[in-house]
Amino acid sequence: MTEKRTSSGFLLKQRAFLKLYMITMTEQERLYGLRLLDVLRDEFRPFGYKPNHSEVYKALHDLIEDGVLKQVKKKKEGMKLQEVVYYKFTDGGEEKAKVYKKQLKVELERCESMIQKAIRDNFGQV
């Protein structure tokens, strides 16, 4: 699973962050469709990033298309017709997720180093 890049060579970071958090939420068994958007917005609110509906679901569909996650529908407790969609790892999806997280960690560390250099070079020691 490789990330798409912009012409400048940087990751499409917003979607990458969303995918990273979705993988972590799946590992913690707390990724489900009912409050997905609200949960992700709460995660990023302190940083001034408010993902919109289409960004979240594009990232989620990327993970499904890449064979990392699958949808599992369950009847909502106490309801006859209402279903809640949960997301689980596919067979082999957990391993793909680990590889993706390692790749993204390398990219994030590279970006962090570039940002620190830019701050030092342009604003002095912080």
Side-chain angles (χ1 to χ4, degrees):
M1 174 166 52
T2 58
E3 273 307 312
K4 298 173 187 162
R5 294 178 178 263
T6 63
S7 59
S8 66
F10 284 103
L11 286 170
L12 295 172
K13 286 175 187 51
Q14 293 174 338
R15 191 175 299 174
F17 283 127
L18 291 172
K19 289 164 75 172
L20 178 63
Y21 272 79
M22 288 177 188
I23 288 169
T24 300
M25 291 169 68
T26 302
E27 290 168 346
Q28 298 168 353
E29 296 183 355
R30 61 184 187 105
L31 183 65
Y32 55 95
L34 192 60
R35 291 190 15 88
L36 176 61
L37 187 59
D38 292 335
V39 170
L40 287 168
R41 284 181 174 166
D42 288 346
E43 290 285 340
F44 291 108
R45 183 172 288 120
F47 308 103
Y49 172 49
K50 183 180 177 184
N52 65 40
H53 183 272
S54 65
E55 289 175 302
V56 168
Y57 286 94
K58 282 179 186 176
L60 183 60
H61 292 150
D62 283 351
L63 291 170
I64 292 169
E65 287 176 15
D66 289 340
V68 176
L69 298 180
K70 65 181 176 181
Q71 291 183 342
V72 178
K73 294 180 180 180
K74 293 185 180 180
K75 295 275 187 210
K76 189 171 180 181
E77 204 169 302
M79 304 299 260
K80 290 183 181 181
L81 301 175
Q82 193 173 8
E83 293 180 323
V84 176
V85 177
Y86 291 84
Y87 297 91
K88 304 248 182 222
F89 288 117
T90 61
D91 292 337
E94 194 164 4
E95 189 57 39
K96 289 179 182 179
K98 287 177 185 176
V99 169
Y100 177 75
K101 286 176 78 170
K102 285 179 186 176
Q103 290 172 342
L104 190 56
K105 184 174 187 285
V106 169
E107 183 66 14
L108 290 172
E109 288 170 344
R110 184 185 72 81
C111 290
E112 180 182 34
S113 296
M114 290 172 60
I115 290 168
Q116 291 301 322
K117 179 180 178 2
I119 291 171
R120 280 190 312 275
D121 291 353
N122 294 283
F123 305 103
Q125 289 291 345
V126 179

